[in-house]
Amino acid sequence: MHFKHPEILYFLFLLIVPILVHLFQLRRFKTSYFTNVRFLKELAIQTRKSSKIKKRLLLATRLLLLTCAIIAFAQPFFEARDSKNASNEMYIILDNSFSMQAKGKKGELLKRAVQELLENTPETAQFSLLTNTENYWNTDIKSVKSSLQNLKYSAAPFELSSIMAKVKAHKTAHKKDIVIISDAVGLKENDIATIESEEKPYFIIPEAEQKNNISIDSVYINQTLENFYEISVDLSGYGDDFKPVSTALYNQNKLIAKIIINFDTKKKKINFTIPKEAFHGYVSIEDNGLTYDNKLFFSISKNKKANVISIGEPEKSIFLARIYTSGEFNYNNYAINSLDYNSLEKQNTIILNELVEIPQALQTTLKAFVSKGGNLVVIPSEKSSISNLNSFLGNFGKVQFNSLKTESKLITKINFDHPLFSGVFENKITNFQYPKTNSSFDISSPYPAVLSFEDQSTFVTAIQNPTAGITVFSAPINGGNSNFQQSPLIVPLFYKMAVNNQKTGVNALTIGNNKPYFVDVLLTKDAILEVKGTEDSFIPIQQILNNKVKLTFNDFPETAGNYSIFDKKENVENLSFNYKRTESDLSQVNTNVVSDFKTADTISTIFNTLQTERTDSQIWKWFVIFALLFLALEMAIIKFVK
């Protein structure tokens, strides 16, 4: 037992006062005369015995009364089992990712967790609340009530390691109690590994009852017809035993088509046919799972002709004119001696077709062209200067030419996963008619090959660049050196190289993907582009590049939907944003990684446990009660004991 004010116990010396009073009573007895002495003697004996008992009882009760009163003022208590952590600071980490939309026994997991926090968190408790996107430091439940009630689902996935880093960086003189409320979807051992041994958080893992979910993964143009697009929609099913799913296509919120599909496989593909014109809408489904992945917004821009020029001898560029037709491209060819350098900045793609030497002035112009988002294709000549080529390519990456080998090679390998071939092949082809080259350069490249020779050496490679496409051939492809011009690979390859970074297909950006976006617009120096949606708007990071503007969106917008880019009040272009589909699979719950930590069903359980373990047992009230009882007992003895 401990005392809050042990110095008051010195007053126990006052117990000697009632003892002295009882030992040295100065009361004088009065003599009474009776006629019959025999009766008087008997009465005197009885009075002395009862008086002695009464005095002793009164002395005992008064001593106990005074003792209990003094001890009560000293405030005795029993120390709590975990009293050393009584001053710990509380940190509550609340997962508000999209997987928390799943329904448990009492509704959506996030909404139920918020309700429990509001109902069971003591009003006097101080804590810090951290969600996927927001931080509320050193607050209380009244202060964050409104924020919790309006808490929205976050497009940012739940990353426990980064949130724990924030908690660790928050400096304090006290230890920390950490409560993590998450459904553990996608929780990895690496996240748990970042938790230090002394932190030992509590985990509350609400469980979803309905784990079946269907998501729309992607939308793309499967086929381009003369007057129509065939749109393909890829869907994924997670779980078992799905009911028929209603799928609808909307343009400008107007219903275009609707279909009911039976989800008999984990992957499903459906097609819609729409007019070959600008599109600004979405695909939606109706299922009983998560709602965030039930819509996929996308836009299709009005066809714009891409500007393409080739620099080289006209007779070696005839095949390019057959690929870049006037319906989709503005194509021109120039010999090196007749090239107008001022026209280069207006191009989308420039092809250097078998130049023996690349002049320094052209190198400088092309470097600026690529830095502003232009596409560049380099096809060497058998007579090309290796040092000149390497000096030029050094401006863009680490592709370097070595010696020329005059030996015949077959082009046998296609990198189907390369962006230049995305959406080109329905199936992976292994036995096509192999084109060949009679001579080729050995090149060293750290980048993945697009096409490779039979000896695994590179025929076509692409330099990784976030703003532009730079494609390099290792061999001339004129008719004298190669039959590649007759290969079925040449059309999709050159087509994709020319339209790289151009809006020629479906526009469906992912929120949080920082890949630059280029807008074909001519702005004045102080002009600013703004992105507007139906509910919100923002100004992205932007850089003016001649006749286009490079936009970087970072983590904007916060809400998926259809948006438009405005130059003041003029609508420049439509674009669409969607959430990442990383939370769609609810079977990714990984509770095994938290088996070494304390778990609880509700937040009230944790608060009650901490209060029980860290609150001292105050017993001074009992001593007050005992003092009152002894006071009542003393009064009873005085009144009733003779």
Side-chain angles (χ1 to χ4, degrees), residues 243-313:
K243 296 180 180 179
V245 178
S246 173
T247 306
L249 177 67
Y250 293 84
N251 185 14
Q252 300 285 1
N253 294 321
K254 181 181 179 181
L255 180 63
I256 301 300
K258 193 169 186 179
I259 186 174
I260 303 294
I261 61 172
N262 293 313
F263 224 93
D264 48 0
T265 59
K266 297 292 184 182
K267 299 288 184 180
K268 204 74 175 180
K269 175 182 175 181
I270 57 176
N271 296 323
F272 295 99
T273 301
I274 62 175
K276 194 175 181 180
E277 56 188 33
F279 188 95
H280 196 44
Y282 60 91
V283 181
S284 70
I285 60 173
E286 297 178 5
D287 73 333
N288 294 324
L290 304 178
T291 58
Y292 89 96
D293 55 9
N294 287 355
K295 284 185 179 180
L296 195 145
F297 299 90
F298 69 98
S299 304
I300 300 176
S301 300
K302 185 178 180 181
N303 279 339
K304 295 181 180 179
K305 292 184 179 182
N307 298 324
V308 181
I309 67 169
S310 62
I311 304 172
E313 299 177 11

Side-chain angles (χ1 to χ4, degrees), residues 345 371-373 467 518 521 543-550:
E345 64 180 22
S371 68
K372 295 176 181 179
T467 60
F518 295 89
V521 60
Q543 180 182 2
I544 298 176
L545 307 172
N546 294 336
N547 60 337
K548 62 180 67 176
V549 179
K550 172 187 171 184

